[in-house]
Amino acid sequence: MSNMKAARLHEIGGRFTIDDVPVPAPGDYDVLVKVEASGIIPNLKNVTTHFPEWYPFLPLPKLPAIFGLDSAGTVAAVGAKVRGFSPGDRVYVNPGVGCGQCRFCKQGEAPRCDAYTFLGYFGFGPGSQEVFSQYPYAGYAQFMTAPANNLVRLPANLSSAQATRLGYLGTAYSAIRKSALRPGQSLLILGASGTLGVGAALLALAFGASKVLVAARDRAALERLEALAPQRLIGLPIGSRPVSEQVREHCPEGVDAMLDTLGAKAPAALSVDAMQAVARGGRIVQIGGVAGPIPIDPHPFMCAQWQYIGSLWFTTTEGEEMARMIEAGTVDLSWLEERAYPLERLNEALEDIQSQASGFVNFHIVHS
């Protein structure tokens, strides 16, 4: 097979077109993956329409470009110096790629690299264009190349479609680890009805949290979240009363940790309020990207020994840890509903997800 189908974006704000492009060959330390499924996220529409205006410091790949985050499939070929993978291996491709040579990449912390880039999405610095040039293929193509170091082996009980949620799950997983949450402790998830929040709730249960307080505007979503573990999950409606006030009715001393999963367009005031629900010595981890200044008075932070932490994506090692948890059955993905689209219906899927998105629905592209 010398050519393949790929959905490419030719202009900002435009629609994706299905093009014939050559099948790539892997470099010495890369793999060629036959993509079976690739994730669709609500923010992709914003990325391909508004990011050059909203976030000019977050570079996009040069157009025409193949997008597609969170891809899973089988290894089709390996580079000459790849030893750990063979054709036929089922894998998830962690799209977070660094330069591979800085001290952070060498110590397995690629998200700290100043060239860190999401393949098939956007980058975080000027070094991203070089990464995009080296890896121009992504999930909305039948085949893609990626560094072998970015592959997560999929257990037999994790389908390629389910694996397209590993990006959101991994983001929450890394944040929970940074929060230092221990079994028997309490956790507040702010903005819990979205894809990121639902994944965080599933993982918080797996981490052994005794109380998981989930705050969201969607009452129906809160009921679904509570059904995950009625004895441990407590729904808090946003908008009726301050979240911090509601939290302290259940945890008078405050929660041990908080995950802020609110998106960029949410009011920052919600985050400021929720932070007041954190117990002394607790950690607040930002993973949703809420935009706008958050006023922080350093004196209470000192006296209460709070910590405010930013967490970006997850490492491949963390992805492997999470895959083993899924294999062992400690993380239950059966609560997620599958919504599959063929590649030819990508534009339709991007429209549908704007109005039909739910943290419990897994939108993804499948390749025939």
Side-chain angles (χ1 to χ4, degrees):
M1 185 177 184
S2 57
N3 282 358
M4 65 177 180
K5 299 291 185 182
R8 294 200 297 175
L9 185 74
H10 290 258
E11 61 180 358
I12 294 298
R15 293 170 63 84
F16 284 86
T17 62
I18 305 301
D19 299 334
D20 283 315
V21 299
V23 174
D28 283 351
Y29 294 97
D30 302 333
V31 295
L32 178 69
V33 175
K34 185 179 188 300
V35 181
E36 294 174 356
S38 189
I40 304 171
I41 59 177
N43 199 42
L44 181 59
K45 190 75 172 178
N46 286 331
V47 169
T48 58
T49 304
H50 302 295
F51 259 40
E53 175 189 355
W54 291 353
Y55 307 113
F57 51 88
L58 299 177
L60 300 185
K62 293 180 180 178
L63 303 182
I66 302 170
F67 285 77
L69 201 67
D70 287 327
S71 305
T74 57
V75 174
V78 300
K81 297 182 180 179
V82 173
R83 298 290 180 265
F85 292 92
S86 303
D89 289 345
R90 297 183 60 246
V91 296
Y92 162 82
V93 180
N94 183 346
V97 175
C99 71
Q101 300 174 30
C102 69
R103 66 187 180 100
F104 299 122
C105 286
K106 288 179 179 178
Q107 63 194 34
E109 297 182 279
R112 297 177 67 183
C113 173
D114 62 10
Y116 195 60
T117 303
F118 288 150
L119 303 184
Y121 204 29
F122 62 85
F124 292 88
S128 291
Q129 285 302 338
E130 187 174 344
V131 176
F132 281 134
S133 296
Q134 188 174 359
Y135 298 104
Y137 298 88
Y140 298 154
Q142 291 176 295
F143 292 87
M144 67 178 294
T145 53
N149 288 340
N150 279 60
L151 299 186
V152 174
R153 294 183 186 277
L154 299 184
N157 63 340
L158 180 60
S159 69
S160 292
Q162 290 174 318
T164 63
R165 282 295 284 261
L166 289 184
Y168 278 107
L169 287 166
T171 297
Y173 178 86
S174 187
I176 292 174
R177 287 192 56 186
K178 291 183 179 72
S179 78
L181 183 74
R182 297 196 300 271
Q185 291 189 327
S186 56
L187 175 71
L188 167 63
I189 303 172
L190 184 63
S193 62
T195 310
L196 189 53
V198 169
L202 291 170
L203 285 162
L205 296 174
F207 271 75
S210 59
K211 285 186 179 179
V212 183
L213 294 95
V214 287
R217 295 188 186 278
D218 188 334
R219 300 293 182 105
L222 288 177
E223 291 180 4
R224 293 187 71 177
L225 283 163
E226 289 180 319
L228 296 175
Q231 302 302 315
R232 299 163 64 192
L233 270 155
I234 302 168
L236 308 176
I238 291 177
S240 57
R241 291 184 294 139
V243 169
S244 57
E245 179 182 303
Q246 296 183 67
V247 168
R248 289 191 179 268
E249 291 175 355
H250 299 278
C251 301
E253 296 182 353
V255 291
D256 295 294
M258 167 184 156
L259 300 189
D260 190 343
T261 75
L262 293 176
K265 299 303 177 183
L270 290 175
S271 298
V272 176
D273 164 42
M275 287 162 56
Q276 310 311 308
V278 178
R280 297 178 66 85
R283 297 185 178 188
I284 302 152
V285 187
Q286 170 60 244
I287 53 175
V290 61
I294 294 180
I296 291 177
D297 185 345
H299 192 266
F301 263 75
M302 177 190 72
C303 293
Q305 299 186 86
W306 284 339
Q307 296 183 53
Y308 189 87
I309 303 167
S311 183
L312 174 65
W313 208 243
F314 61 101
T315 67
T316 303
T317 297
E318 289 173 327
E320 291 174 341
E321 294 168 356
M322 191 168 51
R324 287 194 289 269
M325 292 175 71
I326 295 170
E327 182 177 27
T330 54
V331 179
D332 182 6
L333 299 186
S334 66
W335 292 89
L336 304 181
E337 304 168 14
E338 303 298 335
R339 185 78 64 84
Y341 292 78
L343 185 63
E344 291 75 13
R345 292 174 58 197
L346 173 59
N347 292 303
E348 177 186 345
L350 290 173
E351 293 298 329
D352 288 350
I353 201 171
Q354 301 305 308
S355 58
Q356 302 171 30
S358 161
F360 286 94
V361 179
N362 182 22
F363 283 78
H364 61 277
I365 290 294
V366 291
H367 294 275
S368 56

